[in-house]
Structures are given as structure tokens and as C-alpha cells.
Amino acid sequence: MLQILGLVGSKWSILIVGQLRDRTMRFGELHRAVKGISQRMLTLTLRQLERDGLLTRTVHPSVPPRVDYALTALGATLLDSVVALGEWASAHRHEISNNRHRYDATHPTRT
Amino acid sequence: MLQILGLVGSKWSILIVGQLRDRTMRFGELHRAVKGISQRMLTLTLRQLERDGLLTRTVHPSVPPRVDYALTALGATLLDSVVALGEWASAHRHEISNNRHRYDATHPTRT
DNA sequence: CGGCATCCCCAACGATACTG
DNA sequence: CAGTATCGTTGGGGATGCCG
């Protein structure tokens, strides 16, 4: 339970699953779409999601190689929650940012 | 955005906000309710959530001291998503656990 | 193109002890 | 009761370089 929340709760998982919302994507596409993620973290997070059965990894044996990622049925059941979380974060980011600054101004750092 | 997702996506935040779903709770109550969290992590996570304006911290100057935590209006807007995530994790934990074991059995560890 | 391997660092976290 | 302080560990994650 904690493990599962730890995974799906990870910001990268949320963003990746959100990207695969309505279409399959290649590794490079995801890398470009998910701003700020390193190649390493993208690989690792995709592996976790694949391991948990939330997405499929399809290797096309061509040159150059091509790998497609797509949500599984299980992954799709997570979409609603994930999209909702993403939209919440997007909608309230300014409010939260303000709250943080106000809090920091009110609660001086202990020296 | 990443910061926000990192916070609300944290497993502890999800569980804490979920606990405050329909009532205010004391520190000790939360500590007992959120299995596996250390006192330190509970304190830190509550501080983060308070800083972001998702919950309020009310100190009652009594002996023994008493501190109540409650969701703010902003925190309440996060409830639906968080509850949905929690229920998803709970509902699919066995399926995911099976997927992990199957994956681990199929993909041998490199020695 | 889509990785994996390696090195390395630092923030996160647990455990424990102390306090208003 | 509800924290704070300190120490020690771990593992998350960036940077870089090589490979099928």
C-alpha cells in the first residue's frame, strides 16, 4: 500500500501517465514532453510502471530502434485520478506559491 | 508545478489529507492513524501542508498541550483527487503486487 | 534511438534522546 | 502531548560515457 502510493504518487509517474492519456508515445517523445526529467529517471520510472502493469513497452526491431509506450487497461483506470491531481496542481499553483511566500515571511528561519 | 506535485504526490501527504477527510485530528491521533510514519516525518509533512495552506494547525494552550489539524478550504478541494488515488491504490494493490512478482520472475536480475 | 553502467553527491528519512 | 535536535544511513537522482 505504501509502496503503491509511493510509486503512483511520484511526480514523474503522474506526469508520464498523464502524457500517455490518449496516445502511445516513443521514448524520445516522452523525454521531450516531460520537462525536467533526466534520461535516467525516465528509464527507471518507465520500468517501474511497466513492472506494475500500468503500461506496456513495445520494442520495434528496426534501425534505428523504436520503442513505444502505452497505457494498459489497469493504467487507464488510474488516469482519472492522475489527471485530476495534475489539474488540481495546475489550477492552484499560484495560490500555493503565494501561501508559501506568506508562510515563509511570517515564520522566520531559526538562526 | 513539479514542486507542487512532489508534495501532494508524496505518500504521506496523501494519507494525512485522507485522514482529515471529515474531521479535525490531533497530532497523536494522526500518528496512530497513519501507520508506519515516524514522528519526525509526520511533523515535517504537516509543516509542509500547513505552509502550502492545505491545512491549519491550532495550538490549544492547555496542559497537557493539544494541537488540532484540520483541512482548509483549499485542502478540501484536494480531497476528491486524494481519496480517489487512495481508493485506487487500495483496490488494485493485489493486482499490482501480482504484476510485480510476475515481472520479477520473468526478468531475471543481472548478476 | 534508446538505452545501460558507473561515479558521486546530497537530501530524505529513521532512530534516539531531550524539552516546553 | 507534541514536538525539537542530532546523528547516521540510504537511496534518489544528476552527469557522463559506452553500446546494440
Tab-separated table of all heavy atoms in Angstrom, chain A residues 62-108:
chain	number	residue	atom	x	y	z
A	62	SER	N	13.764	-2.335	-35.458
A	62	SER	CA	14.114	-1.635	-36.688
A	62	SER	C	15.403	-0.865	-36.476
A	62	SER	O	15.933	-0.801	-35.374
A	62	SER	CB	12.983	-0.677	-37.076
A	62	SER	OG	12.712	0.202	-35.994
A	63	VAL	N	15.881	-0.253	-37.536
A	63	VAL	CA	17.053	0.601	-37.406
A	63	VAL	C	16.700	1.972	-37.972
A	63	VAL	O	16.381	2.084	-39.154
A	63	VAL	CB	18.266	0.032	-38.182
A	63	VAL	CG1	19.452	0.993	-38.057
A	63	VAL	CG2	18.637	-1.346	-37.650
A	64	PRO	N	16.733	3.010	-37.183
A	64	PRO	CA	17.083	2.980	-35.746
A	64	PRO	C	15.986	2.352	-34.922
A	64	PRO	O	14.834	2.320	-35.337
A	64	PRO	CB	17.242	4.461	-35.414
A	64	PRO	CG	16.358	5.160	-36.382
A	64	PRO	CD	16.393	4.354	-37.635
A	65	PRO	N	16.326	1.858	-33.734
A	65	PRO	CA	15.340	1.208	-32.866
A	65	PRO	C	14.216	2.152	-32.477
A	65	PRO	O	14.377	3.364	-32.461
A	65	PRO	CB	16.163	0.796	-31.645
A	65	PRO	CG	17.428	1.561	-31.720
A	65	PRO	CD	17.654	1.874	-33.145
A	66	ARG	N	13.084	1.569	-32.187
A	66	ARG	CA	11.917	2.352	-31.825
A	66	ARG	C	11.171	1.627	-30.718
A	66	ARG	O	10.887	0.441	-30.814
A	66	ARG	CB	11.019	2.505	-33.052
A	66	ARG	CG	9.701	3.164	-32.783
A	66	ARG	CD	8.704	2.902	-33.908
A	66	ARG	NE	7.447	3.573	-33.623
A	66	ARG	CZ	7.093	4.742	-34.162
A	66	ARG	NH1	7.874	5.333	-35.035
A	66	ARG	NH2	5.945	5.295	-33.843
A	67	VAL	N	10.866	2.368	-29.644
A	67	VAL	CA	10.176	1.769	-28.510
A	67	VAL	C	8.941	2.594	-28.183
A	67	VAL	O	9.026	3.800	-27.989
A	67	VAL	CB	11.091	1.718	-27.272
A	67	VAL	CG1	10.379	1.059	-26.105
A	67	VAL	CG2	12.369	0.956	-27.597
A	68	ASP	N	7.809	1.921	-28.158
A	68	ASP	CA	6.549	2.605	-27.875
A	68	ASP	C	6.042	2.267	-26.474
A	68	ASP	O	6.119	1.120	-26.036
A	68	ASP	CB	5.475	2.198	-28.897
A	68	ASP	CG	5.706	2.869	-30.242
A	68	ASP	OD1	6.369	3.910	-30.265
A	68	ASP	OD2	5.216	2.328	-31.254
A	69	TYR	N	5.524	3.278	-25.820
A	69	TYR	CA	4.926	3.073	-24.504
A	69	TYR	C	3.443	3.411	-24.573
A	69	TYR	O	3.065	4.435	-25.141
A	69	TYR	CB	5.621	3.956	-23.469
A	69	TYR	CG	7.051	3.535	-23.221
A	69	TYR	CD1	8.095	4.096	-23.947
A	69	TYR	CD2	7.347	2.560	-22.274
A	69	TYR	CE1	9.405	3.699	-23.725
A	69	TYR	CE2	8.659	2.160	-22.047
A	69	TYR	CZ	9.675	2.733	-22.770
A	69	TYR	OH	10.975	2.339	-22.563
A	70	ALA	N	2.636	2.541	-23.972
A	70	ALA	CA	1.193	2.767	-23.977
A	70	ALA	C	0.607	2.301	-22.655
A	70	ALA	O	1.125	1.375	-22.023
A	70	ALA	CB	0.548	2.006	-25.128
A	71	LEU	N	-0.466	2.924	-22.232
A	71	LEU	CA	-1.133	2.515	-21.008
A	71	LEU	C	-1.816	1.172	-21.198
A	71	LEU	O	-2.341	0.863	-22.274
A	71	LEU	CB	-2.178	3.553	-20.593
A	71	LEU	CG	-1.660	4.884	-20.064
A	71	LEU	CD1	-2.833	5.756	-19.637
A	71	LEU	CD2	-0.711	4.671	-18.901
A	72	THR	N	-1.817	0.371	-20.151
A	72	THR	CA	-2.609	-0.858	-20.154
A	72	THR	C	-4.006	-0.493	-19.641
A	72	THR	O	-4.270	0.653	-19.284
A	72	THR	CB	-1.997	-1.889	-19.197
A	72	THR	OG1	-1.975	-1.326	-17.886
A	72	THR	CG2	-0.596	-2.240	-19.617
A	73	ALA	N	-4.876	-1.494	-19.599
A	73	ALA	CA	-6.217	-1.258	-19.058
A	73	ALA	C	-6.108	-0.798	-17.604
A	73	ALA	O	-6.793	0.132	-17.177
A	73	ALA	CB	-7.043	-2.543	-19.157
A	74	LEU	N	-5.203	-1.439	-16.870
A	74	LEU	CA	-5.009	-1.052	-15.475
A	74	LEU	C	-4.515	0.393	-15.381
A	74	LEU	O	-4.986	1.173	-14.550
A	74	LEU	CB	-3.996	-2.001	-14.806
A	74	LEU	CG	-3.631	-1.688	-13.366
A	74	LEU	CD1	-4.870	-1.709	-12.483
A	74	LEU	CD2	-2.598	-2.681	-12.847
A	75	GLY	N	-3.582	0.714	-16.253
A	75	GLY	CA	-3.070	2.076	-16.259
A	75	GLY	C	-4.166	3.088	-16.550
A	75	GLY	O	-4.185	4.188	-15.984
A	76	ALA	N	-5.065	2.705	-17.434
A	76	ALA	CA	-6.155	3.610	-17.794
A	76	ALA	C	-7.067	3.887	-16.605
A	76	ALA	O	-7.611	4.984	-16.471
A	76	ALA	CB	-6.958	3.015	-18.956
A	77	THR	N	-7.189	2.903	-15.718
A	77	THR	CA	-8.065	3.110	-14.554
A	77	THR	C	-7.473	4.143	-13.598
A	77	THR	O	-8.162	4.707	-12.762
A	77	THR	CB	-8.284	1.803	-13.750
A	77	THR	OG1	-7.042	1.385	-13.183
A	77	THR	CG2	-8.821	0.703	-14.638
A	78	LEU	N	-6.171	4.374	-13.753
A	78	LEU	CA	-5.522	5.358	-12.896
A	78	LEU	C	-5.622	6.756	-13.486
A	78	LEU	O	-5.411	7.763	-12.801
A	78	LEU	CB	-4.050	4.967	-12.718
A	78	LEU	CG	-3.198	5.824	-11.792
A	78	LEU	CD1	-3.780	5.834	-10.391
A	78	LEU	CD2	-1.765	5.349	-11.778
A	79	LEU	N	-5.956	6.810	-14.759
A	79	LEU	CA	-5.933	8.080	-15.470
A	79	LEU	C	-6.762	9.177	-14.806
A	79	LEU	O	-6.293	10.294	-14.635
A	79	LEU	CB	-6.424	7.879	-16.902
A	79	LEU	CG	-5.339	7.960	-17.976
A	79	LEU	CD1	-5.963	7.791	-19.339
A	79	LEU	CD2	-4.583	9.265	-17.875
A	80	ASP	N	-7.989	8.842	-14.461
A	80	ASP	CA	-8.872	9.860	-13.894
A	80	ASP	C	-8.253	10.532	-12.675
A	80	ASP	O	-8.205	11.754	-12.576
A	80	ASP	CB	-10.223	9.243	-13.514
A	80	ASP	CG	-11.067	8.969	-14.750
A	80	ASP	OD1	-10.697	9.460	-15.827
A	80	ASP	OD2	-12.087	8.264	-14.626
A	81	SER	N	-7.765	9.715	-11.758
A	81	SER	CA	-7.174	10.263	-10.536
A	81	SER	C	-5.955	11.109	-10.850
A	81	SER	O	-5.759	12.189	-10.293
A	81	SER	CB	-6.778	9.129	-9.594
A	81	SER	OG	-7.858	8.252	-9.398
A	82	VAL	N	-5.129	10.588	-11.737
A	82	VAL	CA	-3.895	11.268	-12.080
A	82	VAL	C	-4.158	12.593	-12.794
A	82	VAL	O	-3.536	13.616	-12.496
A	82	VAL	CB	-3.023	10.347	-12.964
A	82	VAL	CG1	-2.105	11.149	-13.840
A	82	VAL	CG2	-2.223	9.401	-12.080
A	83	VAL	N	-5.072	12.560	-13.714
A	83	VAL	CA	-5.420	13.786	-14.431
A	83	VAL	C	-5.996	14.811	-13.462
A	83	VAL	O	-5.659	16.000	-13.509
A	83	VAL	CB	-6.431	13.483	-15.564
A	83	VAL	CG1	-7.014	14.762	-16.119
A	83	VAL	CG2	-5.744	12.689	-16.673
A	84	ALA	N	-6.841	14.330	-12.557
A	84	ALA	CA	-7.431	15.221	-11.571
A	84	ALA	C	-6.351	15.874	-10.719
A	84	ALA	O	-6.373	17.089	-10.488
A	84	ALA	CB	-8.408	14.443	-10.683
A	85	LEU	N	-5.384	15.082	-10.287
A	85	LEU	CA	-4.289	15.617	-9.479
A	85	LEU	C	-3.491	16.666	-10.260
A	85	LEU	O	-3.144	17.724	-9.743
A	85	LEU	CB	-3.351	14.492	-9.052
A	85	LEU	CG	-3.300	14.181	-7.568
A	85	LEU	CD1	-2.265	13.131	-7.283
A	85	LEU	CD2	-3.012	15.437	-6.778
A	86	GLY	N	-3.206	16.339	-11.506
A	86	GLY	CA	-2.451	17.261	-12.338
A	86	GLY	C	-3.187	18.574	-12.533
A	86	GLY	O	-2.590	19.654	-12.441
A	87	GLU	N	-4.475	18.469	-12.778
A	87	GLU	CA	-5.255	19.687	-12.982
A	87	GLU	C	-5.355	20.502	-11.706
A	87	GLU	O	-5.326	21.726	-11.727
A	87	GLU	CB	-6.659	19.327	-13.514
A	87	GLU	CG	-6.621	18.890	-14.974
A	87	GLU	CD	-7.979	18.431	-15.473
A	87	GLU	OE1	-8.898	18.280	-14.639
A	87	GLU	OE2	-8.111	18.196	-16.695
A	88	TRP	N	-5.470	19.790	-10.588
A	88	TRP	CA	-5.515	20.480	-9.304
A	88	TRP	C	-4.218	21.271	-9.093
A	88	TRP	O	-4.258	22.450	-8.735
A	88	TRP	CB	-5.715	19.475	-8.166
A	88	TRP	CG	-5.883	20.126	-6.834
A	88	TRP	CD1	-7.061	20.466	-6.245
A	88	TRP	CD2	-4.849	20.550	-5.938
A	88	TRP	NE1	-6.818	21.062	-5.039
A	88	TRP	CE2	-5.476	21.131	-4.827
A	88	TRP	CE3	-3.454	20.484	-5.976
A	88	TRP	CZ2	-4.756	21.652	-3.758
A	88	TRP	CZ3	-2.736	21.003	-4.924
A	88	TRP	CH2	-3.388	21.576	-3.820
A	89	ALA	N	-3.106	20.601	-9.331
A	89	ALA	CA	-1.806	21.254	-9.130
A	89	ALA	C	-1.671	22.467	-10.038
A	89	ALA	O	-1.207	23.535	-9.621
A	89	ALA	CB	-0.683	20.256	-9.398
A	90	SER	N	-2.100	22.299	-11.266
A	90	SER	CA	-2.004	23.395	-12.222
A	90	SER	C	-2.920	24.556	-11.831
A	90	SER	O	-2.523	25.727	-11.870
A	90	SER	CB	-2.374	22.875	-13.618
A	90	SER	OG	-2.365	23.938	-14.536
A	91	ALA	N	-4.115	24.228	-11.413
A	91	ALA	CA	-5.098	25.259	-11.089
A	91	ALA	C	-4.725	26.059	-9.845
A	91	ALA	O	-4.993	27.259	-9.772
A	91	ALA	CB	-6.480	24.614	-10.904
A	92	HIS	N	-4.079	25.408	-8.895
A	92	HIS	CA	-3.824	26.067	-7.614
A	92	HIS	C	-2.369	26.450	-7.391
A	92	HIS	O	-1.995	26.838	-6.295
A	92	HIS	CB	-4.285	25.163	-6.473
A	92	HIS	CG	-5.749	24.893	-6.480
A	92	HIS	ND1	-6.681	25.813	-6.042
A	92	HIS	CD2	-6.462	23.824	-6.906
A	92	HIS	CE1	-7.899	25.304	-6.178
A	92	HIS	NE2	-7.801	24.095	-6.708
A	93	ARG	N	-1.560	26.338	-8.432
A	93	ARG	CA	-0.139	26.554	-8.199
A	93	ARG	C	0.175	27.976	-7.749
A	93	ARG	O	1.037	28.191	-6.905
A	93	ARG	CB	0.663	26.201	-9.444
A	93	ARG	CG	0.468	27.150	-10.570
A	93	ARG	CD	1.049	26.619	-11.865
A	93	ARG	NE	0.225	27.112	-12.955
A	93	ARG	CZ	0.637	27.152	-14.212
A	93	ARG	NH1	1.818	26.684	-14.535
A	93	ARG	NH2	-0.135	27.631	-15.140
A	94	HIS	N	-0.552	28.953	-8.278
A	94	HIS	CA	-0.266	30.325	-7.851
A	94	HIS	C	-0.701	30.562	-6.407
A	94	HIS	O	0.023	31.159	-5.614
A	94	HIS	CB	-0.952	31.320	-8.779
A	94	HIS	CG	-0.405	31.314	-10.174
A	94	HIS	ND1	-1.172	31.024	-11.277
A	94	HIS	CD2	0.857	31.508	-10.630
A	94	HIS	CE1	-0.411	31.064	-12.361
A	94	HIS	NE2	0.825	31.345	-11.996
A	95	GLU	N	-1.874	30.061	-6.094
A	95	GLU	CA	-2.371	30.194	-4.732
A	95	GLU	C	-1.390	29.559	-3.745
A	95	GLU	O	-1.047	30.146	-2.712
A	95	GLU	CB	-3.739	29.513	-4.641
A	95	GLU	CG	-4.436	29.703	-3.308
A	95	GLU	CD	-5.852	29.116	-3.326
A	95	GLU	OE1	-6.270	28.598	-4.383
A	95	GLU	OE2	-6.516	29.180	-2.281
A	96	ILE	N	-0.927	28.380	-4.084
A	96	ILE	CA	0.006	27.677	-3.205
A	96	ILE	C	1.332	28.422	-3.111
A	96	ILE	O	1.913	28.557	-2.034
A	96	ILE	CB	0.229	26.241	-3.712
A	96	ILE	CG1	-1.036	25.422	-3.463
A	96	ILE	CG2	1.427	25.613	-3.029
A	96	ILE	CD1	-0.927	23.985	-3.906
A	97	SER	N	1.764	28.918	-4.241
A	97	SER	CA	3.010	29.672	-4.246
A	97	SER	C	2.902	30.890	-3.325
A	97	SER	O	3.813	31.183	-2.538
A	97	SER	CB	3.330	30.112	-5.668
A	97	SER	OG	4.564	30.772	-5.717
A	98	ASN	N	1.766	31.578	-3.398
A	98	ASN	CA	1.533	32.710	-2.511
A	98	ASN	C	1.540	32.276	-1.047
A	98	ASN	O	2.168	32.919	-0.199
A	98	ASN	CB	0.182	33.366	-2.833
A	98	ASN	CG	0.230	34.138	-4.138
A	98	ASN	OD1	1.318	34.492	-4.607
A	98	ASN	ND2	-0.931	34.381	-4.729
A	99	ASN	N	0.851	31.193	-0.774
A	99	ASN	CA	0.812	30.682	0.596
A	99	ASN	C	2.219	30.420	1.125
A	99	ASN	O	2.532	30.744	2.267
A	99	ASN	CB	-0.004	29.391	0.643
A	99	ASN	CG	-1.493	29.647	0.474
A	99	ASN	OD1	-1.951	30.775	0.673
A	99	ASN	ND2	-2.240	28.623	0.100
A	100	ARG	N	3.046	29.847	0.294
A	100	ARG	CA	4.412	29.533	0.716
A	100	ARG	C	5.181	30.787	1.062
A	100	ARG	O	5.855	30.854	2.093
A	100	ARG	CB	5.157	28.783	-0.388
A	100	ARG	CG	4.675	27.372	-0.549
A	100	ARG	CD	5.522	26.582	-1.517
A	100	ARG	NE	4.948	25.239	-1.679
A	100	ARG	CZ	5.387	24.328	-2.521
A	100	ARG	NH1	6.408	24.600	-3.314
A	100	ARG	NH2	4.828	23.143	-2.589
A	101	HIS	N	5.068	31.792	0.206
A	101	HIS	CA	5.791	33.024	0.479
A	101	HIS	C	5.272	33.702	1.740
A	101	HIS	O	6.044	34.205	2.550
A	101	HIS	CB	5.692	33.967	-0.722
A	101	HIS	CG	6.505	33.515	-1.889
A	101	HIS	ND1	5.943	33.092	-3.074
A	101	HIS	CD2	7.854	33.381	-2.045
A	101	HIS	CE1	6.902	32.733	-3.912
A	101	HIS	NE2	8.063	32.888	-3.320
A	102	ARG	N	3.971	33.695	1.894
A	102	ARG	CA	3.401	34.314	3.094
A	102	ARG	C	3.860	33.574	4.335
A	102	ARG	O	4.269	34.186	5.329
A	102	ARG	CB	1.868	34.302	3.007
A	102	ARG	CG	1.202	34.972	4.204
A	102	ARG	CD	-0.265	35.280	3.953
A	102	ARG	NE	-0.994	34.180	3.360
A	102	ARG	CZ	-1.502	34.187	2.131
A	102	ARG	NH1	-1.357	35.254	1.373
A	102	ARG	NH2	-2.145	33.138	1.664
A	103	TYR	N	3.848	32.255	4.265
A	103	TYR	CA	4.274	31.450	5.401
A	103	TYR	C	5.739	31.737	5.736
A	103	TYR	O	6.102	31.957	6.892
A	103	TYR	CB	4.096	29.968	5.088
A	103	TYR	CG	4.417	29.040	6.233
A	103	TYR	CD1	3.408	28.555	7.063
A	103	TYR	CD2	5.729	28.635	6.486
A	103	TYR	CE1	3.685	27.700	8.108
A	103	TYR	CE2	6.021	27.780	7.543
A	103	TYR	CZ	4.994	27.323	8.351
A	103	TYR	OH	5.297	26.488	9.397
A	104	ASP	N	6.564	31.774	4.714
A	104	ASP	CA	7.996	31.994	4.929
A	104	ASP	C	8.257	33.383	5.506
A	104	ASP	O	9.181	33.571	6.301
A	104	ASP	CB	8.765	31.823	3.615
A	104	ASP	CG	8.718	30.373	3.136
A	104	ASP	OD1	8.341	29.494	3.945
A	104	ASP	OD2	9.036	30.127	1.959
A	105	ALA	N	7.429	34.336	5.096
A	105	ALA	CA	7.606	35.692	5.624
A	105	ALA	C	7.168	35.772	7.081
A	105	ALA	O	7.737	36.513	7.883
A	105	ALA	CB	6.798	36.683	4.790
A	106	THR	N	6.158	34.988	7.419
A	106	THR	CA	5.597	35.025	8.770
A	106	THR	C	6.384	34.183	9.766
A	106	THR	O	6.441	34.488	10.939
A	106	THR	CB	4.144	34.501	8.751
A	106	THR	OG1	3.506	34.927	7.547
A	106	THR	CG2	3.371	35.018	9.952
A	107	HIS	N	6.957	33.119	9.276
A	107	HIS	CA	7.666	32.204	10.164
A	107	HIS	C	9.159	32.272	9.893
A	107	HIS	O	9.699	31.458	9.138
A	107	HIS	CB	7.172	30.768	9.946
A	107	HIS	CG	5.718	30.613	10.216
A	107	HIS	ND1	4.739	31.180	9.424
A	107	HIS	CD2	5.051	29.974	11.196
A	107	HIS	CE1	3.548	30.867	9.904
A	107	HIS	NE2	3.703	30.138	10.976
A	108	PRO	N	9.840	33.227	10.533
A	108	PRO	CA	11.260	33.431	10.275
A	108	PRO	C	12.093	32.180	10.577
A	108	PRO	O	11.769	31.411	11.472
A	108	PRO	CB	11.644	34.569	11.232
A	108	PRO	CG	10.567	34.578	12.262
A	108	PRO	CD	9.341	34.102	11.576
